[in-house]
Amino acid sequence: MLNSLISIGEASKQLGTSIDTLRRWDTTNRLPSIRSGPRGHRFYRQADLDLFLRNESSLAKQWAMAPVGVPPSNDVYCQTRDVFQARLERLQHALQGKVSESAVSLLSAVAGEIGNNSFDHNLGNWPDVTGIYFSLDMRNRNIVLADRGQGVLATLKRVRPELNNAMEAVKVAFTEMVSGRFPEARGNGLKFVRSVIIENPFTLKFQTGDASLLLKEYDKDLPIVHVEEYIRGCIAIIGFEGSI
Amino acid sequence: MIKSNFVIELRKFGTILVSRPSGKEAWLAFQPTLKDVSDTEEVLVDFKDVLVLTPSWADEFLTPLRDRFNGRVKLINTDNASVKATLAILDKNRPIRPSTSRD
């Protein structure tokens, strides 16, 4: 849970540091704790630990799932497509020298397709927060994108009213030439994403609604599963741990 | 008879070509220039220095270009990984004739 408190012992495990180090960081304000209970024990919020670790996928998921939408921090928030384009160029520079030239190009293209997809399908229809969450997590070697948009099912249902649930919608989105922006001729984006992921040492975790897809290199099928946690919009985590 | 070429250098539109609106804008902005293409010219699309290309951008520029100059569009310097992946996806649906020539 976003606001549940975590003991100093659990926090030390998550951060891989000793309890003494956490006490020192608390004193120096590097990672402030929350004092609670009659003895004033130190506790931590999970969101604070995630922020400290910059665990982007967790932060983005919490942002996407929060019942009330508020813009995320400025460094990860792309309110408009122009901001996203500029940040995509920054991502490209940040990846250079860390992965191969072709991986830089492909990862940027996949992130570009997914991020622009959010704008394409929600323009003028954002339910609350306009724009997307976009971040590079070099420590965990992944790129995180999320939106609080309408989600794939709601968008595709306009052209495929027979779709019953998010799992069916994700399957259609990743396999068929179909667009929620009829009558525009389009719909290559997520098919492109799929082909790049399965032909390279990348992974993609994609969730919309209660449907989650985990795609990796050489996958022939689309492993879509039902999950309990619900995300109205979309979250995509592009992993490149295996790439050189 | 040696055909002349009309060359479109995509790097002049940018090196990161990803969004649908920017592809559409590129296509619209280039219309006056395309009027200069003669009936005998081949249209060479040069991908040199393009760092990132996606199907969204390409769908808005390459697809109408091919429709307009059907059979006369050739693609060169397509070695970039995202360019190759994008062309492969586009070719599945609407084949664009690849060029065997290289600059």
Side-chain angles (χ1 to χ4, degrees):
Chain A
M1 286 297 290
L2 191 60
N3 291 319
S4 62
L5 293 178
I6 287 162
S7 71
I8 191 168
E10 174 59 27
S12 80
K13 279 184 200 162
Q14 282 195 30
L15 270 56
T17 56
S18 70
I19 289 175
D20 280 343
T21 300
L22 283 180
R23 289 189 181 122
R24 197 166 56 248
W25 286 353
D26 187 18
T27 309
T28 58
N29 231 20
R30 187 175 169 194
L31 180 60
S33 70
I34 293 163
R35 297 294 190 120
S36 186
R39 293 186 186 174
H41 285 312
R42 291 175 170 90
F43 290 91
Y44 296 86
R45 276 192 296 256
Q46 183 64 52
D48 289 341
L49 297 184
D50 288 340
L51 263 177
F52 186 77
L53 289 167
R54 292 307 303 182
N55 185 342
E56 293 295 346
S57 51
S58 176
L59 289 168
K61 195 169 183 180
Q62 286 170 19
W63 174 76
M65 288 179 66
V68 179
V70 288
S73 61
N74 276 335
D75 56 333
V76 296
Y77 183 35
C78 303
Q79 187 178 18
T80 64
R81 208 192 288 265
D82 290 341
V83 176
F84 177 56
Q85 173 82 18
R87 298 269 171 92
L88 197 61
E89 289 177 23
R90 202 164 75 185
L91 170 98
Q92 216 235 343
H93 290 300
L95 286 173
Q96 271 165 7
K98 309 228 172 35
V99 294
S100 69
E101 204 175 298
S102 68
V104 174
S105 174
L106 291 170
L107 289 168
S108 302
V110 166
E113 273 294 353
I114 292 174
N116 275 302
N117 223 28
S118 293
F119 287 102
D120 289 343
H121 291 293
N122 291 292
L123 199 61
N125 282 312
W126 295 101
D128 46 45
V129 181
T130 301
I132 66 169
Y133 187 116
F134 175 45
S135 182
L136 169 66
D137 185 343
M138 270 316 293
R139 207 172 63 87
N140 294 306
R141 291 178 81 80
N142 58 42
I143 298 162
V144 181
L145 301 110
D147 69 60
R148 292 181 56 89
Q150 305 163 95
V152 175
L153 176 61
T155 320
L156 283 186
K157 226 173 159 39
R158 292 181 196 136
V159 285
R160 289 289 183 85
E162 72 277 13
L163 287 173
N164 286 316
N165 55 55
M167 289 176 72
E168 288 178 9
V170 170
K171 187 177 180 191
V172 167
F174 277 86
T175 55
E176 295 180 31
M177 283 286 298
V178 62
S179 168
R181 281 181 37 154
F182 180 82
E184 270 189 316
R186 42 183 284 138
N188 279 320
L190 292 179
K191 270 63 70 184
F192 168 79
V193 167
R194 181 187 179 193
S195 74
V196 170
I197 297 292
I198 64 174
E199 289 167 15
N200 292 278
F202 305 146
T203 57
L204 172 70
K205 189 170 184 195
F206 185 91
Q207 186 182 338
T208 179
D210 57 4
S212 179
L213 164 71
L214 179 58
L215 200 59
K216 57 185 189 307
E217 192 177 14
Y218 305 123
D219 272 352
K220 287 192 170 63
D221 300 322
L222 270 183
I224 304 167
V225 295
H226 172 269
V227 289
E228 291 302 321
E229 291 172 320
Y230 179 84
I231 292 178
R232 182 191 58 217
C234 301
I235 181 167
I237 301 160
I238 307 157
F240 52 95
E241 199 172 336
S243 68
I244 303 163
Chain B
M1 180 182 145
I2 299 170
K3 281 185 180 176
S4 59
N5 293 324
F6 183 92
V7 181
I8 301 173
E9 295 177 78
L10 286 190
R11 65 180 164 181
K12 293 185 177 177
F13 296 99
T15 55
I16 299 183
L17 307 172
V18 293
S19 80
R20 195 165 284 278
S22 73
K24 195 171 277 186
E25 175 62 13
W27 174 246
L28 290 174
F30 210 56
Q31 292 311 298
T33 312
L34 285 176
K35 284 182 182 162
D36 296 336
V37 181
S38 74
D39 290 345
T40 57
E41 277 182 315
E42 290 203 316
V43 179
L44 281 189
V45 182
D46 188 352
F47 290 81
K48 187 169 182 283
D49 294 335
V50 171
L51 301 173
V52 186
L53 180 73
T54 66
S56 286
W57 195 94
D59 253 348
E60 297 294 340
F61 191 92
L62 284 183
T63 303
L65 187 76
R66 190 216 56 168
D67 288 346
R68 181 151 156 196
F69 299 101
N70 199 19
R72 288 196 284 146
V73 177
K74 287 188 173 181
L75 314 177
I76 61 170
N77 292 318
T78 56
D79 292 336
N80 174 279
S82 65
V83 169
K84 279 197 266 192
T86 293
L87 295 178
I89 282 285
L90 292 190
D91 286 354
K92 271 187 186 172
N93 306 301
R94 311 173 79 167
I96 296 175
R97 189 157 58 102
S99 170
T100 51
S101 66
R102 286 283 182 275
D103 273 359

